[in-house]
Amino acid sequence: MEGEKPGTDLEALIGRLRLHQPLPNPYAGDPSTAETPDAGELFKPRRAAVLICLFRGSGGELRVILTKRSSSLSTHSGEVALPGGKVDEGDADDAATALREAKEEIGLDPFLVTVVTSLEHFLSKHLLVVVPIVGILSNIEAFKPVLNIHEVDAIFDVPLEMFLKDENRRSEERERMGQVFTIQYFDYETENHKYVIWGLTARILIHAASIVYQRPPDFVERRLQFNLPKY
């Protein structure tokens, strides 16, 4: 699927994405060693989920909802993020986590969102396993944002396809643990506000756009490969 055609038929997009089979979680550990008495306890990272909430824009393009985190937060303050957060004990699954957090952060009613699939898991630099959940918001007019001012300073949306293009993109190479990797930065301006989408959020959206549009990005990615410790 090329260009912005997927946004013209949400039902077809929902049907196709429901067939997506994400790769197994590479951070879950090896069950065979976990059951060995002398193997010790396998390192288990904390878990979180984020909502990639897609809707059709006025021009028929697919757009994704993003937030600017509150400047008063202790971590990642003022950064652009997808709605989401850490798993609570009462959450039934990753989708429940993502929907609950979206409701708490921006007032998005879970009943407005059709959850269609989860994507490959990501590992943050703080060793937090992040599960992206793709949801479709068929009726954007029914969504009336209510921001949690303790967590979110702003809400906005961007075209999903921008994360496959070279336009308004810059990158930076860094080295960690002997590996050279690329950090992508995407600049976006709306209503006289400028936002920078980068880091883990950019990585997740590049991958999501590749799945939705069924093509790789127009630029090269070099990802950092994590090797989790065992105790």
Side-chain angles (χ1 to χ4, degrees):
M1 187 173 294
E2 298 179 355
E4 295 174 345
K5 293 181 181 179
T8 64
D9 191 346
L10 289 181
E11 291 302 321
L13 177 64
I14 289 171
R16 179 167 62 80
L17 290 180
R18 280 180 169 157
L19 299 176
H20 176 69
Q21 295 293 327
L23 297 173
N25 178 12
Y27 312 115
D30 184 349
S32 63
T33 59
E35 296 175 358
T36 304
D38 298 330
E41 183 181 353
L42 195 67
F43 176 79
K44 294 182 179 179
R46 296 171 299 161
R47 193 179 182 97
V50 295
L51 181 64
I52 302 173
C53 188
L54 304 177
F55 68 94
R56 184 168 59 191
S58 58
E61 78 282 9
L62 282 179
R63 303 184 71 86
V64 59
I65 295 173
L66 295 171
T67 68
K68 181 182 178 183
R69 289 169 57 86
S70 170
S71 56
S72 64
L73 291 173
S74 58
T75 58
H76 303 290
S77 59
E79 293 185 4
V80 172
L82 289 156
K86 296 175 186 175
V87 171
D88 275 358
E89 188 175 343
D91 293 339
D93 51 25
D94 295 314
T97 299
L99 292 173
R100 173 182 55 76
E101 287 284 343
K103 173 67 173 177
E104 293 175 3
E105 292 179 9
I106 60 175
L108 177 58
D109 188 340
F111 292 103
L112 294 176
V113 181
T114 302
V115 173
V116 290
T117 191
S118 63
L119 301 182
E120 284 74 5
H121 299 183
F122 288 75
L123 191 68
S124 76
K125 63 181 180 182
H126 300 299
L127 299 184
L128 181 70
V129 173
V130 180
V131 183
I133 301 295
V134 179
I136 304 296
L137 181 58
S138 298
N139 185 5
I140 185 61
E141 299 300 328
F143 173 39
K144 309 299 181 184
V146 179
L147 304 189
N148 181 340
I149 60 173
H150 301 293
E151 297 187 40
V152 175
D153 280 345
I155 180 175
F156 65 104
D157 54 81
V158 302
L160 179 66
E161 197 176 18
M162 69 176 279
F163 298 101
L164 296 179
K165 297 180 178 181
D166 242 343
E167 303 168 12
N168 302 313
R169 183 192 70 89
R170 48 199 167 89
S171 63
E172 175 185 353
E173 285 197 347
R174 295 186 184 179
E175 184 174 350
R176 185 178 181 186
M177 299 185 294
Q179 301 180 55
V180 176
F181 62 99
T182 306
I183 297 180
Q184 308 288 353
Y185 299 83
F186 295 88
D187 298 306
Y188 187 76
E189 184 172 355
T190 178
E191 297 178 353
N192 298 320
H193 293 284
K194 295 182 179 180
Y195 299 100
V196 180
I197 303 115
W198 69 287
L200 181 62
T201 299
R203 286 168 49 206
I204 291 173
L205 290 172
I206 291 168
H207 178 64
S210 297
I211 297 297
V212 170
Y213 289 97
Q214 298 179 298
R215 67 177 179 88
D218 295 337
F219 47 86
V220 176
E221 278 196 282
R222 301 179 69 178
R223 295 185 179 182
L224 179 64
Q225 302 297 319
F226 290 94
N227 294 313
L228 294 182
K230 296 180 180 180
Y231 292 102

